[in-house]
Amino acid sequence: MAFRFRRGFKTEAESHALELRKELKLPDHSPICPWKLAEHLEIPVHTLRSIRDVEPMAYTYLSGVGHEYFSAVTLFGGTHGCTRIICHNQSHAKTRQRANLAHELAHAILLHPPTAIFECDLETEEEAKWLGPALLVPQPAAIKIAFASDAIDVAADNYGVSEVLMRMRLNVTGANNIARRSRANSKLR
Ligand SMILES: [Zn+2]
């Protein structure tokens, strides 16, 4: 059964994507760099390599547990354990790194509390799975792409995401339908 988001969540997700673009002085439909976004949100981003000096315990853990499966994780460090740090696997393809980062940033934007490493809370996980891609391809971007009838690989490339992610966003934002309906209407006229 499909997960049911709390009321208004999807709208909230879209407005986060646009609000953050505004703060970064980017147009609504613009691609976004997750590394720049992390910087803007003041969340340090580490790779498995660089986490070694900062959080040696985390490094030992993350590099041990099947590190090719490891995508990204949010660690809570600092003296009060409330400073977010993202650690991601730099050996994955760039598109996957961007999606992983966006996912972890989504947790931060939604102020999700920490969960134990590799443990997951269904609701916060589903929310981050939705907001991550929405940050990378917000609805105005999806609509622009659908109206331009850009080839999926070109569009994916422009936004630095996988074709799967791009296709998903074109569907769930309704962009494909909106563009199709508008084309059908203009033929009728
Ligand atoms: Zn997550």
Side-chain angles (χ1 to χ4, degrees):
M1 210 175 81
F3 177 79
R4 281 186 65 152
F5 287 102
R6 62 189 155 85
R7 227 190 142 102
F9 171 74
K10 292 182 181 177
T11 314
E12 194 188 303
E14 293 301 328
S15 47
H16 279 303
L18 299 189
E19 204 49 55
L20 290 162
R21 276 173 173 71
K22 211 168 278 157
E23 289 171 20
L24 288 166
K25 299 188 172 40
L26 295 169
D28 286 355
H29 54 75
S30 158
I32 203 165
C33 167
W35 281 269
K36 285 212 181 103
L37 184 55
E39 207 182 297
H40 175 67
L41 297 169
E42 296 178 11
I43 299 169
V45 176
H46 285 277
T47 61
L48 262 182
R49 247 179 264 138
S50 68
I51 198 77
R52 202 177 199 155
D53 305 324
V54 194
E55 299 278 342
M57 294 264 287
Y59 172 78
T60 312
Y61 192 74
L62 296 174
S63 58
V65 194
H67 107 258
E68 69 256 44
Y69 300 112
F70 161 67
S71 295
V73 68
T74 298
L75 306 166
F76 287 82
T79 35
H80 303 291
C82 53
T83 312
R84 278 175 193 268
I85 303 175
I86 293 174
C87 178
H88 79 106
N89 193 337
Q90 76 283 359
S91 68
H92 290 317
K94 251 302 164 2
T95 48
R96 189 163 160 200
Q97 290 183 39
R98 292 169 63 91
N100 291 339
L101 267 187
H103 176 97
E104 295 306 321
L105 291 172
H107 280 303
I109 292 160
L110 296 166
L111 304 175
H112 288 160
T115 49
I117 221 163
F118 294 131
E119 223 168 65
C120 91
D121 171 78
L122 178 71
E123 188 174 0
T124 56
E125 218 21 58
E126 289 297 326
E127 287 187 358
K129 266 192 216 158
W130 185 274
L131 177 57
L135 291 173
L136 297 171
V137 186
Q139 193 187 39
I143 290 174
K144 186 170 174 271
I145 293 161
F147 270 89
S149 311
D150 287 341
I152 205 85
D153 57 331
V154 175
D157 222 42
N158 287 341
Y159 283 78
V161 300
S162 69
E163 290 179 30
V164 174
L165 191 153
M166 181 53 79
R167 211 166 276 129
M168 182 272 272
R169 287 296 297 163
L170 289 173
N171 285 324
V172 301
T173 54
N176 275 341
N177 282 336
I178 296 168
R180 208 175 293 132
R181 235 176 285 133
S182 146
R183 271 192 286 272
N185 281 342
S186 63
K187 258 181 225 149
L188 290 176
R189 255 182 255 130

